Amino acid sequence: MSTLKNTLKKKIEQHRPRTTRLLKEYAGTKVGEVTIGQAIGGARGVKMMVTDISYLDPFEGIRFRGKTIPETFAALPKVPNSDYPYVEAFWYFLLTGEVPTEKQTLEVVEDFKKRREVPKYVFDVLEKMPEDSHPMALFSMAILSMQQESKFVAQYNEGMNKMEYWDPTYEDCTNLLAKLPSIGAYIYRMKYKDGKQIKADNKLDWGGNFAHQMGLDAPYDDVARMYFILHSDHESGNVSAHTTHLVASALSDCYYSLSAGINGLAGPLHGLANQEVLRWTMNFLEKLGKGDDYTEDDVKKALWDTLNSGQVIPGYGHAVLRKTDPRYTSQREFCLKHLPDYPLFKLISMIYKVTPDILVEQGKAKNPWPNVDAQSGVIQWYYGVTEWDFYTVMFGIGRAIGVLANITWDRALGYPIERPKSVTTTMLEEVAGVSSAELAGSAK
Ligand code: HAX
């Protein structure tokens, strides 16, 4: 058994009694209450999920296994001659909560390489999809096409003890994760580079090989590592994480579950916002037709036009966060170091300067500050990835790290099938002490 799997096994055995005691002795203890606003309003703030892999504080932002983003980057072993850590080390860290040594990290790097090769039928499926398929539809389809590879399903069908579920889930998740960068790069080159594919380089780590198969030179390998780690996990209630968890709770394997989670990530209010940010910015420049010769007033007018036409400003606002997203800040710091004078970065910075005040003045958004998606596209654009339809695929590769670690733990702790309760509108009216008959007159 690998060091990672062995460490994970020990952690699971240590953790199980904590969950069991809470369930057995404290199941009736209240965590919170649910209001009508929450029942209708997307369950915002309802504390009804458990994960130890990351926690999102509204003001501090994300912590992975207790570490902030800068602490995480500083703690993990770095790829030689790189500023960023091995993504494989981060996988070890998310799964176990332990920072791996260099040796333990390299063991995972080698393990991923062994599992990296993508079955040819996946590419056949991709090639047969309609030419104008969105890259996220292709990505989701590619993941789903491998479902019959599932070791969990094979062992379940043979009759497996519940306590063992985590083991084949871990195997499936690692097999799937190892292949995702190659699948992403294949989609990119199939759609935008005349189908000219680049073979994997087995000397390279997960992030480095993604850059290689995309056809992009250093420091894009570091961009990839940074991007994947930053986008990995944002606790469990966001659409992609919750969907993956929900589908997996029916004991659907990780191929079904991740494919579903990716479908959720593809929505413009969630991961697709990073594509929308670039689209909004390029539309702004094109409509104005003045090149880089715009003013703050031009930007303000365009933002108000967007709001006044009933649309959202992509990349701003958040369901949980109430300050600038530290994932935004981390990428902004990267830009300040590597591309401080890049015109598009200057425009993104100007949008950052003026948007929060405008959203506050409009008075609707609870959080006027930028989220991760406001700052990621400009980095991709700078390094030559200008096909914004592809951005969410890279988000999805990163998000997979978090959600796959989570469902491995879901199976380890025996979390049951998820099944919240719904009520009718009449029931809510009864709780509120109002009657729909009162509205009949006003509707006439
Ligand atoms: N521009 C305009 N209006 C906004 C807004 C924005 N950026 N953010 C919120 N609002 C509006 C909402 O649409 C809502 O309007 P209505 O009352 O008319 O329905 C009102 O402000 C209250 O919304 P909220 O409570 O502040 O925000 P929600 O929790 O409902 O939604 C969203 C959070 C992220 C979906 C929202 O802020 C939004 O649509 N932002 C723009 C899209 C975006 O950047 N999404 C990515 C978020 C991060 C992420 O998941 N990345 O993957």
Side-chain angles (χ1 to χ4, degrees):
M1 196 182 276
S2 70
T3 311
L4 167 55
K5 196 168 173 184
N6 204 21
T7 310
L8 177 61
K9 187 169 183 283
K10 281 189 199 139
K11 295 279 170 185
I12 289 169
E13 282 159 6
Q14 283 164 11
H15 196 110
R16 273 180 178 153
R18 295 173 64 193
T19 305
T20 309
R21 182 177 64 177
L22 286 171
L23 259 182
K24 275 207 174 135
E25 297 173 33
Y26 301 96
T29 304
K30 278 191 186 164
V31 179
E33 286 177 301
V34 180
T35 63
I36 289 178
Q38 289 170 318
I40 297 177
R44 206 68 87 255
V46 178
K47 292 176 185 150
M48 50 149 283
M49 304 183 74
V50 188
T51 177
D52 298 291
I53 288 175
S54 68
Y55 181 75
L56 181 60
D57 179 86
F59 296 98
E60 189 193 45
I62 195 70
R63 275 182 185 261
F64 304 117
R65 289 284 187 184
K67 289 197 191 300
T68 62
I69 291 168
E71 286 166 2
T72 303
F73 283 146
L76 297 171
K78 292 197 174 48
V79 179
N81 305 317
S82 292
D83 290 336
Y84 287 90
Y86 285 98
V87 182
E88 293 89 333
F90 184 66
W91 170 240
Y92 190 116
F93 176 56
L94 283 196
L95 273 174
T96 65
E98 282 186 10
V99 173
T101 62
E102 178 97 18
K103 187 164 169 269
Q104 288 163 344
T105 300
L106 292 177
E107 204 184 302
V108 186
V109 171
E110 290 312 308
D111 188 33
F112 269 40
K113 284 179 188 171
K114 283 189 210 125
R115 303 175 192 245
R116 177 182 280 168
E117 197 173 331
V118 180
K120 184 180 167 295
Y121 64 77
V122 176
F123 301 136
D124 294 342
V125 167
L126 291 176
E127 300 284 351
K128 289 275 183 323
M129 289 282 284
E131 219 171 283
D132 55 355
S133 298
H134 192 278
M136 284 298 274
L138 297 172
F139 190 48
S140 176
M141 190 63 86
I143 293 165
L144 194 58
S145 74
M146 290 184 283
Q147 186 278 327
Q148 82 289 353
E149 307 272 348
S150 173
K151 297 201 178 322
F152 177 86
V153 170
Q155 290 189 34
Y156 188 86
N157 290 344
E158 280 166 18
M160 175 173 39
N161 187 312
K162 226 178 159 177
M163 301 301 275
E164 305 298 326
Y165 285 175
W166 73 270
D167 186 318
T169 301
Y170 164 85
E171 293 298 334
D172 278 353
C173 289
T174 316
N175 282 338
L176 177 53
L177 195 56
K179 294 173 179 54
L180 294 181
S182 295
I183 292 173
Y186 190 96
I187 291 170
Y188 180 71
R189 298 197 64 88
M190 180 182 88
K191 269 193 90 77
Y192 310 115
K193 299 290 164 191
D194 300 323
K196 289 187 187 125
Q197 298 295 340
I198 299 171
K199 280 205 170 77
D201 181 346
N202 244 8
K203 291 191 292 301
L204 297 171
D205 62 292
W206 201 75
N209 185 58
F210 175 73
H212 164 74
Q213 289 200 274
M214 288 284 287
L216 296 163
D217 296 332
Y220 193 79
D221 53 345
D222 254 353
V223 171
R225 294 180 193 108
M226 171 186 73
Y227 194 96
F228 293 146
I229 292 175
L230 285 181
H231 288 80
S232 60
D233 211 38
H234 220 221
E235 68 171 37
S236 280
N238 66 78
V239 170
S240 51
H242 191 182
T243 307
T244 309
H245 163 84
L246 171 68
V247 175
S249 83
L251 297 188
S252 299
D253 60 62
C254 77
Y255 300 90
Y256 282 127
S257 308
L258 181 64
S259 174
I262 292 297
N263 296 345
L265 192 69
L269 295 187
H270 191 18
L272 204 79
N274 64 8
Q275 128 171 7
E276 296 303 288
V277 167
L278 255 286
R279 200 220 304 258
W280 188 96
T281 311
M282 289 302 154
N283 274 349
F284 162 75
L285 287 173
E286 200 185 309
K287 264 197 202 158
L288 206 64
K290 297 200 292 189
D292 295 329
D293 188 22
Y294 49 79
T295 63
E296 252 180 52
D297 283 342
D298 292 328
V299 175
K300 283 183 187 169
K301 183 183 175 310
L303 291 166
W304 275 116
D305 286 350
T306 300
L307 292 176
N308 291 335
S309 61
Q311 297 168 58
V312 295
I313 296 172
Y316 283 76
H318 201 273
V320 178
L321 279 167
R322 294 295 176 259
K323 62 158 249 183
T324 297
D325 190 337
R327 300 172 300 174
Y328 178 96
T329 310
S330 185
Q331 294 181 101
R332 184 172 157 77
E333 279 162 10
F334 180 95
C335 291
L336 286 168
K337 184 171 170 197
H338 293 275
L339 44 134
D341 299 322
Y342 188 46
L344 188 57
F345 173 55
K346 288 190 169 165
L347 174 53
I348 294 289
S349 299
M350 190 184 278
I351 296 171
Y352 180 31
K353 190 174 163 209
V354 300
T355 301
D357 284 346
I358 289 178
L359 282 172
V360 169
E361 193 180 330
Q362 194 214 23
K364 281 172 77 174
K366 292 189 191 70
N367 175 38
W369 301 105
N371 59 60
V372 65
D373 298 316
Q375 187 69 63
S376 47
V378 59
I379 303 178
Q380 297 300 332
W381 195 277
Y382 179 77
Y383 288 105
V385 185
T386 54
E387 302 85 357
W388 58 61
D389 280 12
F390 183 70
Y391 294 173
T392 318
V393 172
M394 291 186 278
F395 192 153
I397 296 172
R399 181 50 49 98
I401 307 167
V403 300
L404 294 177
N406 268 289
I407 63 171
T408 304
W409 272 96
D410 288 353
R411 296 290 70 79
L413 299 178
Y415 288 168
I417 187 164
E418 191 176 300
R419 196 355 179 143
K421 180 83 186 84
S422 56
V423 291
T424 65
T425 306
T426 305
M427 287 173 184
L428 289 184
E429 286 168 340
E430 278 165 16
V431 173
V434 294
S435 154
S436 58
E438 294 161 18
L439 296 175
S442 60
K444 273 181 197 160

